[in-house]
Amino acid sequence: MKILKLRFKNIHSLRGEHEIDFTKSPFTESGLFAITGPTGAGKSTILDVITLSLFSRIPRFDGKITNTEIEKIGSVVTHFTEDAYAEIDYQCKDRFYRSTWSISKTSKGKLKDYNMMLSVFDEESMVTGSYIGDKKSMVPAANEEIIGLNYEQFIRSILLSQGEFAKFLKSDEKERAKLLEDITGSQIYRIIGKKVFEKTKAK
């Protein structure tokens, strides 16, 4: 998976519309870069935009993001704003995808139910093509299938949020081995090894 662009509006403390284009300088000229800034600058928000737009979840909160959770936590959507969205453009193999999470309020200030959408788009024209999923229940599962990782695997292997890296390093050998198997798709070799052992033992 290669992240191309992030677009978001009124997520956490970052009011207004923002775009981060990883296909342009200085990102294209740097093999490695850091997200830095003081507490509250919005570093974690950038990471949250990625998982929110893909899975409707963010690492700092347990479970799926629901209207009840948004209202109870008083976060995710910037205070005193009417709508919010998180959108990611990413590439897997030779195809380009756009996944979006969005929410808005009614005229009375109540949150409407959030929406999610996933589509294939043309990189040259940036024109959206066929929709893979236009129902919020379909989008996270479709992204999982395309990327090859579920939410838990994604945040532990691709997007290690604050504290998660130490947790990964301290996890036991079996848990790390299982995660690496899922990432690399090497489960077949464990199965073959088990069969060889059983056959040798039988002989």
Side-chain angles (χ1 to χ4, degrees), residues 115-133:
N115 288 307
M116 292 194 79
M117 188 171 291
L118 175 63
S119 61
V120 179
F121 73 92
D122 178 73
E123 188 190 27
E124 293 294 328
S125 63
M126 298 301 288
V127 174
T128 301
S130 58
Y131 286 97
I132 298 173

Side-chain angles (χ1 to χ4, degrees), residues 42 83 86 99 135 168:
D83 60 347
S99 188
K135 293 182 179 179
F168 174 75

Side-chain angles (χ1 to χ4, degrees), residues 6-198:
L6 295 178
R7 302 178 196 85
F8 55 99
K9 177 183 179 183
N10 298 334
I11 300 294
H12 294 310
S13 60
L14 296 182
R15 181 186 291 270
E17 294 187 270
H18 304 270
E19 178 178 284
I20 302 174
D21 190 344
F22 294 101
T23 66
K24 294 182 179 179
S25 179
F27 300 108
T28 52
E29 300 162 3
S30 307
L32 184 67
F33 59 88
I35 302 172
T36 64
T39 301
K43 300 183 297 297
S44 295
T45 298
I46 294 171
L47 305 181
D48 288 347
V49 166
I50 296 172
T51 55
L52 187 61
S53 57
L54 291 172
F55 305 109
S56 186
R57 296 181 65 179
I58 51 179
R60 66 177 93 183
F61 302 133
D62 295 329
K64 293 183 179 179
I65 299 298
T66 63
N67 289 18
T68 303
E69 286 297 310
I70 292 173
E71 291 174 344
K72 183 173 71 174
I73 296 167
S75 186
V76 183
V77 177
T78 306
H79 289 295
F80 310 114
T81 58
E82 300 302 315
D83 60 347
Y85 69 84
E87 184 172 81
I88 184 172
D89 290 351
Y90 70 93
Q91 178 183 359
C92 264
K93 298 182 180 177
D94 296 325
R95 302 192 78 186
F96 301 90
Y97 303 90
R98 178 170 295 152
S99 188
T100 307
W101 179 97
S102 62
I103 196 167
S104 61
K105 292 181 179 179
T106 65
S107 58
K108 295 183 178 180
K110 293 291 184 181
L111 282 173
K112 297 178 184 177
D113 204 4
Y114 73 90
N115 288 307
M116 292 194 79
M117 188 171 291
L118 175 63
S119 61
V120 179
F121 73 92
D122 178 73
E123 188 190 27
E124 293 294 328
S125 63
M126 298 301 288
V127 174
T128 301
S130 58
Y131 286 97
I132 298 173
D134 56 2
K135 293 182 179 179
K136 63 181 181 181
S137 58
M138 297 169 56
V139 174
N143 280 318
E144 285 181 14
E145 186 175 348
I146 293 165
I147 297 168
L149 298 170
N150 62 30
Y151 169 76
E152 296 295 340
Q153 293 165 338
F154 186 87
I155 62 172
R156 290 182 183 176
S157 58
I158 306 298
L159 191 83
L160 291 171
S161 59
Q162 297 177 31
E164 288 296 324
F165 184 62
K167 188 186 296 183
F168 174 75
L169 292 177
K170 292 176 182 178
S171 60
D172 60 45
E173 186 178 347
K174 287 184 179 179
E175 186 178 354
R176 284 201 304 271
K178 176 66 169 59
L179 177 58
L180 291 173
E181 272 191 0
D182 291 336
I183 295 169
T184 60
S186 59
Q187 299 94 329
I188 185 65
Y189 300 109
R190 176 173 52 81
I191 296 169
I192 291 171
K194 185 178 179 181
K195 293 291 184 182
V196 170
F197 174 78
E198 290 173 352

